[in-house]
Amino acid sequence: MRLVVRQDYEEVSAWTAHYIKERINQFQPSKERPFVLGLPTGSSPVGTYHRLSEFCKSGELSFKHVVTFNMDEYVGIPRNHRESYYTFMYTHLFQHIDILPENIHVLDGNAPDLEEECRRYEATILAHGGIEMFLGGIGPDGHIAFNEPGSSLTSRTRVKTLAYETIIANARFFDGDITKVPKLALTVGVATVMDAREVCIIITGAHKSIALAKCVEEGVNHMWTVSAIQMHPKGLIVCDEDATLELHVKTVKYFKSIEHVHQALIGQENLGLQGELLSSTMRTSTTAGREMLVRQLLSGDESESKADDGEEPMSPDDENDSMEAESPNAAREQSPTKKRRTTADIAAGTLPSSNQ
């Protein structure tokens, strides 16, 4: 799992939007091979959506061959309701980009058969080859999508009863009146999210710092459903400094040091977007550099040893000159290693034996 720490919400949004842009562009989507992107709602991704819209308007990014699946939708409110997630997505993203309407998938909270709607949604995801990348946010209690505390970590898209804390939190969108907040929602499951080939979670603000600490420093727990990201082979969390308040200092330093190694020591030009080495050439050069360092260290040890014995370190040229100046009898006073080599030569018949 990667943890990327940025200063504030603005920097988190900018980093995440740039990352998504690069992922889509490197994927090189086409009509036959679209980039399938899972998307959240709520306050966490709004800044990211605005920057993605700017990339699209500037020509740096196109959503023409991107297929999207949203995480959730309320049950029982019209699609055109100002607080429906369908309206939210069009307001903050879809109306600002060049995505095709048929490539947008949002759960229908007014379907006559909600269970069948959930099964259809899962089947549609599979029909598109699965989700390449799922972007998400969390609540203060660590829930992802509407997978509230206690949700099964193997859950799939389903009807979900909202926790009281979630209803209270969402009341601000319904004139502060909790009686107007829907009590049910359709949501993708934890396993639906974790089936994506990459999962990226945005976590910002001090009010989510406990959830981040539970997710990163403690075990996988269905009471903090975002903690399932620990089991994902390509899990990524992008957070701000405020969200790290409950993490141990050494944890934050560790993840920041990993990023420093990538940028300063390995070189960002040698790494892929997900932190992988770009080619075997880089591995070869790294190995060669390591071997050179070992040789230098060993050479330094030999020089220090000679200095301790009161001898001046000899250069290769000096050593050759010295050997040429030695008398033939000096060969009998060689080191034990050289004597062993001489004995081997005698055994091979290449030199005359002294007994002959």
Side-chain angles (χ1 to χ4, degrees):
M1 181 177 69
R2 296 171 62 194
L3 180 68
V4 175
V5 182
R6 290 295 177 265
Q7 184 61 38
D8 52 29
Y9 178 81
E10 293 300 317
E11 288 191 14
V12 167
S13 299
W15 191 97
T16 306
H18 176 79
Y19 184 81
I20 294 171
K21 173 178 72 75
E22 292 300 308
R23 281 284 278 118
I24 293 173
N25 287 339
Q26 289 184 13
F27 189 87
Q28 297 180 338
S30 64
K31 183 178 180 180
E32 295 72 26
R33 183 175 171 267
F35 188 95
V36 184
L37 180 64
L39 295 173
T41 52
S43 58
S44 295
V46 170
T48 299
Y49 289 161
H50 289 172
R51 282 164 178 77
L52 288 173
S53 300
E54 291 170 2
F55 287 143
C56 194
K57 291 175 182 176
S58 66
E60 299 176 65
L61 176 63
S62 173
F63 282 84
K64 186 176 181 180
H65 298 305
V66 174
V67 174
T68 65
F69 286 89
N70 263 81
M71 280 187 162
D72 39 33
E73 179 58 286
Y74 287 122
V75 170
I77 62 175
R79 268 202 163 187
N80 60 357
H81 189 283
R82 62 183 175 87
E83 294 303 336
S84 75
Y85 289 153
Y86 185 87
T87 299
F88 176 96
M89 290 305 303
Y90 269 90
T91 301
H92 293 287
L93 182 63
F94 294 152
Q95 69 177 357
H96 306 292
I97 60 178
D98 60 344
I99 192 168
L100 301 177
E102 59 267 27
N103 287 343
I104 296 171
H105 298 86
V106 181
L107 284 157
D108 184 1
N110 294 290
D113 187 337
L114 296 178
E115 296 290 343
E116 178 58 31
E117 169 65 7
C118 294
R119 287 190 291 269
R120 181 199 64 79
Y121 205 68
E122 287 279 343
T124 306
I125 292 174
L126 289 176
H128 283 83
I131 293 174
E132 181 66 25
M133 177 181 178
F134 225 132
L135 180 67
I138 67 167
D141 59 4
H143 74 262
I144 183 170
F146 274 129
N147 294 288
E148 307 281 6
S151 295
S152 169
L153 300 182
T154 62
S155 57
R156 294 286 175 182
T157 304
R158 66 203 187 285
V159 184
K160 193 73 176 67
T161 302
L162 303 187
Y164 183 70
E165 289 80 5
T166 301
I167 295 172
I168 294 294
N170 289 345
R172 67 186 189 276
F173 302 121
F174 293 85
D175 303 321
D177 186 351
I178 64 172
T179 63
K180 296 180 180 180
V181 182
K183 311 305 185 291
L184 298 174
L186 302 184
T187 181
V188 295
V190 178
T192 310
V193 176
M194 295 303 151
D195 274 354
R197 286 177 278 279
E198 182 176 15
V199 177
C200 176
I201 304 297
I202 299 171
I203 303 178
T204 57
H207 63 301
K208 297 181 181 179
S209 59
I210 294 177
L212 179 62
K214 294 286 185 180
C215 171
V216 173
E217 295 183 335
E218 298 191 15
V220 177
N221 190 332
H222 68 163
M223 296 306 291
W224 303 87
T225 53
V226 70
S227 66
I229 197 174
Q230 293 181 28
M231 305 297 290
H232 200 283
K234 289 191 181 297
L236 169 64
I237 296 175
V238 189
C239 66
D240 64 1
E241 291 286 353
D242 285 349
T244 68
L245 292 177
E246 293 291 334
L247 289 175
H248 289 92
V249 172
K250 64 180 180 181
T251 300
V252 179
K253 285 186 175 181
Y254 168 75
F255 283 106
K256 286 184 175 181
S257 73
I258 294 296
E259 190 171 4
H260 173 72
V261 169
H262 283 175
Q263 294 178 352
L265 301 183
I266 297 177
Q268 202 64 44
E269 69 279 3
N270 296 313
L271 295 170
L273 197 60
Q274 296 170 308
E276 74 280 9
L277 289 173
L278 286 178
S279 66
S280 58
T281 304
M282 175 58 192
R283 288 193 293 272
T284 302
S285 63
T286 301
T287 302
R290 188 161 53 243
E291 291 175 350
M292 183 179 294
L293 177 60
V294 171
R295 286 197 298 270
Q296 291 173 347
L297 291 174
L298 291 176
S299 176
D301 290 342
E302 290 175 359
S303 299
E304 290 175 6
S305 177
K306 290 182 178 180
D308 291 341
D309 293 338
E311 299 179 11
E312 289 292 333
M314 298 174 65
S315 68
D317 292 338
D318 293 339
E319 188 174 359
N320 290 337
D321 293 342
S322 175
M323 290 179 65
E324 291 174 0
E326 288 181 353
S327 66
N329 293 332
R332 298 173 184 173
E333 301 174 4
Q334 294 175 9
S335 68
T337 302
K338 291 183 179 179
K339 286 181 180 178
R340 284 195 295 272
R341 287 201 297 271
T342 304
T343 304
D345 290 335
I346 294 172
T350 57
L351 291 174
S353 173
S354 61
N355 294 328
Q356 292 179 346

